Amino acid sequence: MHRQVLSWATVVLGISCGATWAQKSATESIEEYRAMLADGNPADLFEAKGEALWKEKRGPKRASLEQCNLGKGPGVVKGAFVELPRYFDDVGRVQDLESRLVQCMATLQGFDAAEISRTPFGRGEMANVTALATWVAAESKGLAFNLPQGHTQEKVAYEVGKRLFFQRGGTHDFSCASCHGEDGKRIRLQDLPNLTKNPGDGIGFAAWPAYRVSNGQMWSMQLRLNDCYRQQRFPFPAFGSDALSALSVYLGVNAKGAKSAAPTIKR
Amino acid sequence: MNNRRETLKQGMTLAGLLASTGLFPQFAWAYNKTAFDAKSVADVAKAFGVSAPVASKDVTITGPDIAENGAVVPLGVSTSMAGVKHLLILVEKNPSALVAMFNVSDAVESSFSTRAKMGQSSDVYAVAITSDGKALFAKKEVKVTLGGCGG
Amino acid sequence: MADPMRIRAQMSGANATVRVLMSHEMETGQRKDASGKVIPAWHITEVTATLNGKPVLSAEWGPAVSKNPFLQFNVKGAKAGDKVAVTWKDNKGDTRTDEATVS
Amino acid sequence: MKITKYLSFAGAALALAGCAVVPGSQELDRMTEQAVKAAFRTQGIANVERVTATDETNRVCSAADVAGKPLAPEVAKAIEAANLKAIKWPTNGRFIGDWKEGEKVAQSGRGQTWTDDAKTVNGGNCYNCHQIDKKEISFGTIGPSLYNYGKLRGVTDVTNPSSKPIVEYTWGKIWNSKAYNACSNMPRAGHAGTLSEQQVRDLMALLLDPKSPVNQ
């Protein structure tokens, strides 16, 4: 009975004030749905796995990752995520979190970095990299992004990243900016953050890694960017490539001050 | 009047769903739910009397009005009644309707939440099966939207 | 072996609210792989829980429960320090039990 | 192989690190090009040329976006003219198809990714960015609402000569959006071979046919 009254109200209001009302109520319902999912994020499962992997003696060298330097010194995890990607002296290049984790797995544990980089997302050691990244990110939850820009290569990476962000291509002429260059836009029902500036706490760069409910997978930033390019109808960007690190620097520097909410839960 | 007929029709639909799980043979008479159209529902229900599943304010279904993704739809079932043996969650339009059955004990509250897959927009039911074999239910509609970019 | 569960059990009044995340594919048996072959059903069929070793909950699940399942229930008369254990079994005979302390 | 590529980029940057000065714009463009070549590879039907050999329109518009400045009017005009010239007009002047089929094309976002195969029927991706039929609440807002598209433009009969300009413009816009706005965000669905002539015809009906739900 109550329901019928409500549906009538929808019809009447729909006539009197056009589409806006119905649209808003759909948006509110989606918000409600997202709130229901927030408590009990399966990302927790990957976070726990990542923490165990960090401490476990693994690989040909039977070593843990506890001496891995994520930029704040060997073994310092808290706060590392919100300062990545950054320049690393030992390799002479800018690395993002996942490239750095693979680097540590190679140097400390004796894994083959090239082989891990070739492994599809969600499989074998690549799945472990994602779990590790999820845990490392979770250790910085609530901290504000503050990527270093002191080194020339970090500045170069920002400039290269900016060019990648605006690069139109593929069969559809899309660039990252086609969807993420303006405020208040939506693709289907998904809100699109404007990534040319700080889009706010826990939005955009500050929201990944994230658990994707659509396929039940944990998505790292590398996979997030990889799938953006897939949907842009671009060719395939290599895991850990300088291009993806540079793009991440552009997004991360723009997000300066945004508090990290990672790992989050997404559609 | 319409409203009552609607409720009875839902009861029939649900009886079919319950029977299809194979767990509750007492509802098997309604297994072929297509046999009942809206017009004859009232008569059929009268013939079967109280054993038809009935809507009840004492049973609650919780869930979103719109699910952004059918792969994960948060659903909850609860009841304030005593003498309930099982609490069920069903999604009418799923290939097999029964999502989960919780056995109620004195040691837990009669309230459970989980998450279900839904292939399409559908009515979802919370059903309480009492120790004397009756089925009481609540239902709500959950719309499943098409996701982001892809197909 | 299956990955561990995440169990949180928190006091709320005289009861403990238990939230469980399980690591499981929950394959429906309705999907096909790239080559068109049906992916066989693989899902949790039974979930049980105990409080300090005493059974408090049993549930039967079908393939429509979402991947990496979530479950919330409330245990009556629990107190901080009590042990809540949750066990799942799947249709391939795999099983996993994890435990958490009520806080 | 991959490692040498990494090194070449790192090497270039390292040499510059010595001066501790960020290189000029042209050098940064060159480094970006190098990074793109090193990173992207052909996968499935998604050829690497889609990013290494983009056309003049995309190159000029990308550069303008990086600079944060619109194109010079004469450059914009030249790009628009070139794209207008490339439009393929419908065979036998048949502009209008079936709006029901058009709705399916508008709904579908399939095709042309590296996970699609060549046999996939491409969609138009229209609802991703536009409101179209009001019944579909899951629509994007990157482009303008197209609800009542034909009605608002006074199209009561698509065969009437008075409708000709809007019918032609709409075909041209779907086929090659850059003919009317050099750096439009909209794909060039016909030009790029995403949609067939018949699919465009059906989209035309969805937007312009007075019987289409769009114009109710």
Side-chain angles (χ1 to χ4, degrees):
Chain A
M1 190 61 200
H2 191 55
R3 185 151 288 275
Q4 280 182 350
V5 170
L6 276 179
S7 66
W8 272 108
T10 314
V11 171
V12 172
L13 279 168
I15 290 163
S16 61
C17 34
T20 20
W21 190 83
Q23 198 52 51
K24 192 175 165 209
S25 102
T27 311
E28 280 167 3
S29 299
I30 295 280
E31 284 305 317
E32 194 184 278
Y33 167 80
R34 289 177 187 161
M36 283 179 182
L37 288 188
D39 188 25
N41 181 354
D44 283 9
L45 295 166
F46 297 85
E47 191 185 319
K49 190 180 164 194
E51 183 176 10
L53 282 166
W54 180 265
K55 292 169 181 165
E56 193 187 328
K57 290 186 170 58
R58 292 183 347 111
K61 295 189 185 172
R62 311 299 305 159
S64 80
L65 288 171
E66 285 162 309
Q67 286 307 305
C68 178
N69 184 351
L70 296 170
K72 297 179 79 74
V76 181
V77 175
K78 200 177 162 62
F81 177 65
V82 292
E83 294 179 15
L84 286 167
R86 71 189 301 154
Y87 175 79
F88 287 92
D89 244 340
D90 56 347
V91 289
R93 53 187 281 249
V94 172
Q95 289 184 313
D96 75 337
L97 171 58
E98 288 157 79
S99 317
R100 190 62 187 171
L101 285 167
V102 172
Q103 181 81 38
C104 284
M105 287 166 77
T107 52
L108 298 174
Q109 299 181 312
F111 284 105
D112 180 343
E115 195 185 320
I116 297 176
S117 301
R118 276 196 305 270
T119 308
F121 291 104
R123 307 253 182 89
E125 285 303 326
M126 185 61 97
N128 290 339
V129 173
T130 302
L132 283 161
T134 304
W135 175 64
V136 170
E139 288 292 291
S140 290
K141 207 166 194 167
L143 300 180
F145 272 91
N146 187 23
L147 267 63
Q149 277 282 282
H151 195 279
T152 307
Q153 280 218 46
E154 291 166 346
K155 291 180 195 148
V156 167
Y158 180 86
E159 287 299 326
V160 168
K162 182 179 179 182
R163 282 158 176 78
L164 289 164
F165 186 83
F166 288 108
Q167 181 175 37
R168 298 173 185 230
T171 51
H172 289 49
D173 302 339
F174 289 149
S175 70
C176 306
S178 306
C179 284
H180 295 288
E182 278 181 81
D183 288 348
K185 296 291 181 186
R186 221 172 62 189
I187 188 162
R188 287 280 185 173
L189 279 176
Q190 315 303 312
D191 293 321
L192 295 164
N194 179 350
L195 301 177
T196 64
K197 56 176 195 176
N198 176 358
D201 294 343
I203 299 171
F205 195 74
W208 300 85
Y211 181 79
R212 292 291 304 266
V213 300
S214 47
N215 48 24
Q217 293 168 356
M218 193 68 217
W219 276 32
S220 65
M221 195 62 189
Q222 287 273 338
L223 176 51
R224 171 64 282 177
L225 295 177
N226 178 283
D227 200 63
C228 279
Y229 276 126
R230 185 185 67 84
Q231 296 190 64
Q232 279 173 249
R233 273 79 179 174
F234 272 47
F236 192 99
F239 175 92
S241 57
D242 286 324
L244 291 184
S245 291
L247 185 54
S248 282
V249 169
Y250 176 72
L251 302 176
V253 169
N254 288 348
K256 187 182 169 79
K259 290 199 175 80
S260 173
T264 62
I265 185 163
K266 296 268 183 186
R267 179 190 70 79
Chain B
M1 204 52 200
N2 256 343
N3 203 20
R4 182 174 152 73
R5 181 189 286 170
E6 240 339 272
T7 310
L8 286 167
K9 191 181 157 197
Q10 285 155 19
M12 291 304 114
T13 306
L14 181 58
L17 295 178
L18 288 171
S20 72
T21 66
L23 294 169
F24 305 101
Q26 67 265 37
F27 298 108
W29 51 266
Y31 184 68
N32 185 3
K33 63 176 174 166
T34 53
F36 304 100
D37 66 9
K39 278 176 200 157
S40 61
V41 158
D43 299 336
V44 173
K46 213 180 276 169
F48 286 98
V50 290
S51 64
V54 288
S56 167
K57 281 200 298 282
D58 299 324
V59 179
T60 309
I61 177 92
T62 52
D65 295 336
I66 300 180
E68 198 175 11
N69 198 294
V72 182
V73 182
L75 296 175
V77 55
S78 63
T79 180
S80 50
M81 285 186 304
V84 173
K85 242 173 117 178
H86 312 289
L87 282 173
L88 280 61
I89 297 174
L90 294 100
V91 175
E92 186 188 338
K93 289 191 181 158
N94 272 4
S96 53
L98 183 65
V99 174
M101 178 173 82
F102 300 95
N103 300 314
V104 177
S105 80
D106 291 340
V108 288
E109 284 180 41
S110 314
S111 170
F112 307 95
S113 303
T114 185
R115 293 166 183 172
K117 296 170 200 150
M118 287 178 66
Q120 56 181 308
S121 298
S122 170
D123 283 340
V124 297
Y125 291 88
V127 185
I129 309 284
T130 62
S131 34
D132 55 355
K134 284 182 195 136
L136 301 145
F137 73 89
K139 71 142 208 166
K140 81 169 273 153
E141 191 194 7
V142 177
K143 282 203 182 77
V144 175
T145 67
L146 193 81
C149 324
Chain C
M1 200 189 70
D3 285 330
M5 285 178 248
R6 287 282 257 187
I7 306 172
R8 285 180 293 156
Q10 276 173 318
M11 288 307 296
S12 145
N15 300 338
T17 300
V18 183
R19 293 183 187 84
V20 190
L21 282 163
M22 306 167 201
S23 188
H24 204 286
E25 283 298 316
M26 299 303 286
E27 194 58 60
T28 58
Q30 312 255 351
R31 295 198 312 150
K32 287 178 181 159
D33 65 14
S35 63
K37 249 178 48 195
V38 172
I39 306 170
W42 177 32
H43 60 87
I44 292 172
T45 52
E46 199 185 315
V47 179
T48 53
T50 59
L51 179 70
N52 299 326
K54 262 191 9 223
V56 291
L57 169 76
S58 73
E60 285 162 49
W61 284 6
V65 173
S66 302
K67 180 173 174 178
N68 294 321
F70 172 77
L71 167 66
Q72 182 173 329
F73 60 96
N74 300 292
V75 182
K76 290 180 186 170
K79 56 187 187 308
D82 284 355
K83 301 275 188 218
V84 175
V86 178
T87 300
W88 58 251
K89 286 186 187 132
D90 70 22
N91 64 332
K92 288 187 182 173
D94 199 3
T95 181
R96 163 123 211 154
T97 301
D98 289 281
E99 195 181 70
T101 306
V102 177
S103 63
Chain D
M1 176 72 185
K2 188 184 276 167
I3 286 167
T4 23
K5 278 180 185 167
Y6 281 160
L7 282 179
S8 64
F9 180 60
L14 262 182
L16 290 151
C19 347
V21 174
V22 179
S25 192
Q26 267 190 337
E27 178 61 12
L28 287 166
D29 289 348
R30 199 190 59 78
M31 292 170 82
T32 305
E33 208 177 303
Q34 221 178 332
V36 165
K37 280 203 180 110
F40 288 92
R41 63 169 155 88
T42 297
Q43 173 97 346
I45 59 171
N47 295 324
V48 74
E49 288 77 20
R50 288 184 183 186
V51 67
T52 54
T54 50
D55 73 352
E56 177 76 6
T57 302
N58 276 328
R59 279 200 300 278
V60 169
C61 291
S62 302
D65 290 342
V66 171
K69 285 182 201 142
L71 295 184
E74 63 277 12
V75 176
K77 259 191 208 127
I79 287 178
E80 286 163 11
N83 279 292
L84 187 65
K85 227 177 118 186
I87 292 173
K88 187 170 175 283
W89 300 98
T91 322
N92 304 327
R94 279 181 53 236
F95 281 93
I96 306 296
D98 176 356
W99 64 261
K100 289 193 195 81
E101 290 302 311
E103 168 69 14
K104 288 181 204 160
V105 176
Q107 285 283 358
S108 170
R110 292 196 181 281
Q112 294 173 304
T113 72
W114 70 64
T115 48
D116 293 304
D117 65 31
K119 282 177 288 183
T120 310
V121 176
N122 299 332
N125 284 285
C126 310
Y127 278 102
N128 282 340
C129 299
H130 297 282
Q131 182 181 36
I132 309 175
D133 181 350
K134 220 167 163 182
K135 282 197 293 294
E136 178 54 83
I137 59 160
S138 180
F139 61 83
T141 60
I142 296 167
S145 171
L146 301 175
Y147 178 64
N148 277 352
Y149 180 88
K151 196 178 179 181
L152 289 170
R153 287 159 181 81
V155 179
T156 50
D157 177 359
V158 286
T159 59
N160 194 306
S162 68
S163 303
K164 202 178 165 211
I166 192 65
V167 167
E168 285 184 355
Y169 164 77
T170 307
W171 181 278
K173 183 78 184 177
I174 297 171
W175 195 272
N176 190 333
S177 60
K178 271 74 171 178
Y180 308 90
N181 175 1
C183 296
S184 167
N185 267 337
M186 186 167 148
R188 293 172 280 184
H191 183 72
T194 301
L195 298 181
S196 69
E197 211 178 295
Q198 187 55 42
Q199 285 179 305
V200 176
R201 221 174 258 131
D202 293 336
L203 283 178
M204 291 285 287
L206 182 66
L207 294 177
L208 292 164
D209 190 333
K211 290 192 292 290
S212 158
V214 167
N215 296 315
Q216 304 314 307

